[in-house]
Every structure is written in structure tokens, then in C-alpha cells.
């Protein structure tokens, strides 16, 4: 009896975005905005935001897996994000592109706009829509601030300002950011960024696919 030969699935007409879990909602919003029906999304854990050394090896495995699933058009939904160039090596290894910039706080503002404020923002703590939604899970509980508020100065004493980079206009998220600034003892600033360069980056990736 002849063996059945497994055929590799063909996803040549699809674009796979492998993104940080912190921007999943935003990637899907841009997908809908641009009508990118051929775009698929998979994410690495959002907690890698705190462990950038895990990003590059996890991305390597994710791209390998995607290729075995038949994807030939892959876009990395990360900036460098603290990998110190290691993510770029993975992108070069697999011949894929990533979002330009050092981190999502930069590409949300747009790289040109970020370049103008980067020095002034050096002592600023950034928040995004995701970080407002997950403030307790990402900061309060992991840092123990819910039980030991006296640690706030240890963690945030070197910051001067909290800047909320708002992707959407949500009064509830505004309240979270404002409350966080008061709690941390920081000057508060809100910047309405929308999705910044994420829109152009995904559009370019989709056009290339």
C-alpha cells in the first residue's frame, strides 16, 4: 500500500503578522481600517515586554512554524523592543521585515515625531491603551505596588512625567492614566497618537505580499 505523502499547505495569498501581544488589538483595528482581509495574526506573549531577551528566540521559532504552515509572506509586528539588535538578526535570517523603530512607544507616535521629543521624554513613563487596560496586571501586582505602595519611589522615582499615548478616545482609559499619574506622583500628559506608523507599516507589508 502506497504511503500518503503530506503536502505543504499553500498560504501564498495570505500575510501573517507575528506581533507582540501588547499590540494585538491595534493590529486587528488597522486590519479592519485598511480592509486587509488576507491578513492573519498570531502573537507572542505580551509579558515579553518585561523579558526582551525572550523575544528573538521565540520569534525565530514562530517564523519557522509559520513557514511549515505554508506562509511565505510574514511581517514582524515588533520594533527592536529592547532586543539590542537580536530581533534584526532573526529577521535577516528569515528574510522578513519588522516595524521600524526602537519600540512601540516610538512607532505609535510616528518615528519623525518621536525623534523630535525623544530627548525631552527621557525621564517620562509611557502608557498606551493596552497598558491602561492592563495596569493592575502589568504593574501593580507584579511590582507589589498594590500591597506595598511605598515601593513606588523605588520603581518610579527617576521619572518626572507620565505620558499616555492614546490610540483611541476612551474616557475610561483616560481615567486610568490620570489616576496612575497621580498615584505615581508624576506630571500627566496625554498625546492622541492613533496607530501612528503601525498603519503605514502594515499597509506596506500588505502591498509587498
Amino acid at each position: 500500500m502506497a504511503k500518503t505523502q503530506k503536502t505543504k499547505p499553500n498560504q501564498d495569498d495570505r500575510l501573517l503578522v507575528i506581533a507582540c501581544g501588547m499590540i494585538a488589538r491595534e493590529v486587528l483595528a488597522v486590519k479592519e481600517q485598511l480592509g486587509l482581509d488576507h491578513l492573519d495574526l498570531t502573537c507572542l506573549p505580551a509579558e515579553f515586554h518585561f523579558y526582551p531577551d525572550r523575544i528573538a528566540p521565540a520569534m525565530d521559532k514562530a517564523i519557522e512554524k509559520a513557514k511549515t504552515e505554508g506562509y511565505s509572506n510574514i511581517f514582524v509586528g515588533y520594533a527592536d523592543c529592547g532586543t539590542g539588535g537580536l530581533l534584526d538578526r532573526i529577521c535577516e535570517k528569515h528574510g522578513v521585515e519588522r516595524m521600524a523603530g526602537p519600540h512601540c512607544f516610538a512607532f505609535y507616535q510616528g518615528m519623525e515625531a518621536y525623534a523630535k521629543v525623544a530627548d525631552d521624554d527621557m525621564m517620562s513613563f509611557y502608557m498606551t491603551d493596552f497598558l491602561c487596560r492592563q495596569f493592575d496586571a502589568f504593574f501593580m501586582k507584579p511590582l507589589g505596588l498594590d500591597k506595598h505602595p511605598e515601593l513606588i519611589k523605588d520603581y518610579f522615582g527617576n521619572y518626572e512625567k507620565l505620558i499616555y499615548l492614546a490610540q483611541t478616545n476612551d474616557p475610561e482609559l483616560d481615567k486610568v492614566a490620570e489616576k496612575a499619574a497621580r498615584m505615581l506622583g508624576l506630571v500627566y500628559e496625554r498625546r492622541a497618537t492613533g496607530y501612528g506608523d503601525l498603519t503605514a507599516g502594515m499597509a506596506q507589508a500588505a502591498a509587498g505580499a
Side-chain angles (χ1 to χ4, degrees):
M1 182 177 179
K3 292 183 178 180
T4 301
Q5 184 176 3
K6 292 184 179 180
T7 58
K8 185 178 180 180
N10 189 344
Q11 300 279 17
D12 287 343
D13 60 341
R14 310 293 298 175
L15 169 66
L16 178 66
V17 176
I18 305 176
C20 169
M22 285 180 57
I23 69 168
R25 183 188 293 249
E26 289 69 31
V27 170
L28 292 176
V30 172
K31 172 184 176 176
E32 182 177 357
Q33 183 183 84
L34 299 179
L36 303 177
D37 295 332
H38 66 300
L39 185 150
D40 296 329
L41 171 66
T42 188
C43 292
L44 300 184
E47 65 181 25
F48 283 5
H49 175 76
F50 294 120
Y51 308 100
D53 58 307
R54 301 181 186 179
I55 296 173
M59 182 60 68
D60 191 19
K61 292 179 181 178
I63 294 174
E64 290 285 5
K65 182 175 183 292
K67 288 182 175 180
T68 64
E69 293 172 349
Y71 286 101
S72 57
N73 302 307
I74 299 170
F75 182 66
V76 172
Y78 273 89
D80 178 74
C81 297
T83 68
L86 293 180
L87 184 58
D88 283 332
R89 295 183 188 178
I90 299 302
C91 290
E92 291 170 7
K93 171 184 173 181
H94 294 285
V96 302
E97 299 291 331
R98 68 163 173 87
M99 281 297 306
H103 40 63
C104 65
F105 306 124
F107 69 66
Y108 273 148
Q109 296 182 81
M111 289 306 300
E112 289 187 15
Y114 174 71
K116 295 177 181 178
V117 300
D119 288 341
D120 291 337
D121 285 359
M122 194 70 69
M123 306 304 291
S124 298
F125 177 69
Y126 286 127
M127 289 186 67
T128 62
D129 283 12
F130 175 90
L131 291 175
C132 284
R133 293 189 184 96
Q134 302 295 330
F135 187 72
D136 285 343
F138 260 62
F139 295 106
M140 294 298 292
K141 293 180 180 178
L143 298 179
L145 302 181
D146 53 336
K147 297 180 179 179
H148 299 284
E150 68 274 10
L151 294 176
I152 287 175
K153 288 187 178 180
D154 293 334
Y155 287 116
F156 297 92
N158 291 326
Y159 291 106
E160 298 174 352
K161 183 188 296 186
L162 185 151
I163 300 175
Y164 171 32
L165 307 176
Q167 283 71 68
T168 58
N169 292 313
D170 187 330
E172 294 304 312
L173 298 184
D174 290 340
K175 291 178 183 177
V176 173
E178 291 169 1
K179 181 179 178 181
R182 288 195 300 271
M183 183 188 69
L184 301 177
L186 303 176
V187 175
Y188 177 68
E189 180 182 339
R190 183 185 190 276
R191 294 178 189 169
T193 65
Y195 304 117
D197 287 348
L198 181 63
T199 302
M202 287 178 54
Q204 184 174 355

